[in-house]
Amino acid sequence: MNAFAKQILKFWNELGVNQRVSLILATVLVVAAMAAMLVWSGRPQLVLLYGGMDGKDMSDVAHALEEQAVSYEIRNGNSIYVPKDSVYKVRMELASKGVPSGGSIGYEIFDRTGFGVSDFVQRTNYTRAIQGELQRTITQLRGVRTARVMIVLPQNRLTVSEKPVKATASVMVDTGGKQLEQEAVNSIRFLVANSVEGLDANDVVVVDAAGRELTADLAQDATVGAASGQFKFRKKMEDYFTGKVETMLARVVGPQNVVARVSVDVDNQASTLVEDKYDPNGQVVRSQTQSDEIDRNSETKGTTPAPGAAANANPGQQGADAAPVVAGEPPRSTSEQSRKNKSVNYEINHSRVETVKSPGGISRVTAAVFVARRYNTAADGTETPAPRSPEELEQLRTMVVRAIGVDEGADPATRFVTLTEADFAPVENPAEAMKPDTVQQLLYWFDLSKSFIAVGFAAVLFLIFLRLLKKHKPEPYSIEIMDEQVSDSAKGPEAAPRLTPELLNELIREKPENVSTALRNWALEAGQNKK
């Protein structure tokens, strides 16, 4: 240890003033860089906890983090960052407390119920709860920073008005200056409409922070939207059939040796066909009615009976239908008529067939397929074309026809599938794209190695400094010891300086190594001269 300290002291004494200052500054710089790197590597990595919050949510989250003694950092005025190892735990604890609330109140408003609440207050709270829940849901959509929802619900009235009042809603979204896609706007409209009873999607208006009405184009271009949906459906069908053909032929001719394009004609008309059929030979008795009627008429002619004659009549024959018997009267005449009525109703056999044709049916499918021409490679490396025979091409075409389900006729002119052999242009293999998790892996390894970066950086600086010191050599300084017996004629304006004790002391302080070398050489020369 003493020898090492002596070497360091000797090295320090041999340095000049400028070199000593440079060494001190370099040492301070290396130590400061090492300290900075150590502090930076020891600092916990901060990740986003919540972003895009308003002032109230920022205050609630910060207060909750201070209660939990969790360090945090506020960035961009609306985002809070916490250490990476505690972000999920903090989110769970904040969620249990309902923080952040998104600047709105949801169904938790009914947790604070009280007595004596009027029906108007209850309906108002219900509307506020729906608005708050919708705001929280819309904010979760990609591209939406904040949202505000206003809902107008009609009041239940006993009287009927001439003009009924419908439920309406307005949604304001803040996208940070970005354009919201049409699919996202439709999602917001249907989300709000399906969450409110009696609300239609056409009665929902969506605007952005710049004041542009995002649903105006949807209402004006309803026909264009329907055509766009039909085009997407057709494209989806064509991609489906194209994939079937290419994947099938790729196993036969190679993955890069087949190109297929399929066109699908879709019937977008909706119709209903009703057909009634009657069968007169299939009669069935439905109802039958039969009635019988009998009419009786009786007529009597004779003299008027004598007084008291009725009393002499037989008592057993008295009654409502009994006729008085008069002695000497001729017999009476009676007539009787009968009628029969019969009514039969028949049901004729009847059948009704109702056919509903929905849009989306496929009316025709056509396909164009190209396969690469084959080549034979000779021993010297030359390639010669080897075209396929017509039978092979027809076999491949038949495979395509069966795969897509085309019904072709016998006439070649009505064939909807064509298969042609052609030369393909050479295709270069594209570079393999970076895997999605490559960036995450790089960040993971960077987090593991950042603790060693400071030590490695300091070691590199120290090695560079040592290399510079080794390259530096002491500057030679010649010392001439002149004899005191020097003639005056040898003296001149350019004569060497006379060696004095003061000059020797100064040289020793500035260049001790050169002075010691010069004295050693002088002593050796003096000893040789004496011999």
Side-chain angles (χ1 to χ4, degrees), residues 13 20 67 188 222 228 288 296 346 356:
N13 294 331
R20 293 178 181 178
E67 290 181 351
I188 294 174
S228 177
Q288 182 176 357
R296 294 180 181 179
Y346 293 94
V356 179

Side-chain angles (χ1 to χ4, degrees), residues 479 504 507-508 511-522:
I479 300 177
L504 185 59
L507 292 176
I508 291 173
K511 304 291 182 178
E513 183 178 359
N514 293 343
V515 173
S516 60
T517 303
L519 291 177
R520 184 168 56 253
N521 295 336
W522 176 73

Side-chain angles (χ1 to χ4, degrees), residues 423-480:
D423 291 329
F424 283 13
V427 180
E428 298 180 358
N429 294 328
E432 185 179 0
M434 182 178 292
K435 298 180 180 179
D437 57 344
T438 303
V439 178
Q440 300 295 335
Q441 292 179 358
L442 292 177
L443 293 177
Y444 173 74
W445 288 110
F446 178 75
D447 293 339
L448 292 180
S449 61
K450 72 176 184 178
S451 301
F452 304 97
I453 293 178
V455 179
F457 182 73
V460 170
L461 290 179
F462 186 72
L463 292 176
I464 293 174
F465 179 72
L466 290 180
R467 188 175 182 85
L468 292 176
L469 290 179
K470 290 181 179 180
K471 289 183 178 180
H472 178 75
K473 297 181 179 180
E475 299 178 357
Y477 189 87
S478 60
I479 300 177
E480 295 183 1

Side-chain angles (χ1 to χ4, degrees), residues 263-435:
S263 178
V264 178
D265 293 341
V266 181
D267 187 5
N268 297 315
Q269 296 180 355
S271 61
T272 302
L273 178 62
V274 180
E275 184 179 2
D276 293 335
K277 294 182 179 181
Y278 295 91
D279 186 10
N281 298 324
Q283 300 181 12
V284 179
V285 177
R286 182 177 182 181
S287 61
Q288 182 176 357
T289 304
Q290 183 176 356
S291 60
D292 297 336
E293 296 181 1
I294 300 175
D295 295 337
R296 294 180 181 179
N297 296 324
S298 60
E299 183 178 355
T300 303
K301 294 181 180 180
T303 58
T304 304
N312 296 326
N314 188 4
Q317 295 181 353
Q318 293 181 358
D321 297 332
V325 178
V326 181
E329 183 180 4
R332 58 184 182 179
S333 61
T334 302
S335 64
E336 181 176 341
Q337 297 178 356
S338 63
R339 294 190 301 271
K340 294 182 179 181
N341 296 326
K342 186 177 182 180
S343 176
V344 180
N345 296 326
Y346 293 94
E347 184 73 24
I348 299 178
N349 188 12
H350 168 243
S351 61
R352 167 172 290 187
V353 178
E354 183 175 354
T355 305
V356 179
K357 184 179 180 181
S358 302
I362 299 176
S363 59
R364 190 179 67 170
V365 179
T366 59
V369 183
F370 289 90
V371 293
R373 183 175 284 112
R374 292 182 302 186
Y375 285 88
N376 294 331
T377 304
D380 55 355
T382 59
E383 295 182 351
T384 57
R388 294 178 176 86
S389 63
E391 291 77 10
E392 292 179 349
L393 295 178
E394 182 62 24
Q395 185 179 6
L396 293 177
R397 197 191 72 84
T398 305
M399 293 170 56
V400 176
V401 171
R402 301 290 176 81
I404 62 179
V406 177
D407 186 9
E408 293 184 330
D411 188 3
T414 61
R415 292 184 176 182
F416 301 124
V417 177
T418 59
L419 190 142
T420 308
E421 189 178 23
D423 291 329
F424 283 13
V427 180
E428 298 180 358
N429 294 328
E432 185 179 0
M434 182 178 292
K435 298 180 180 179

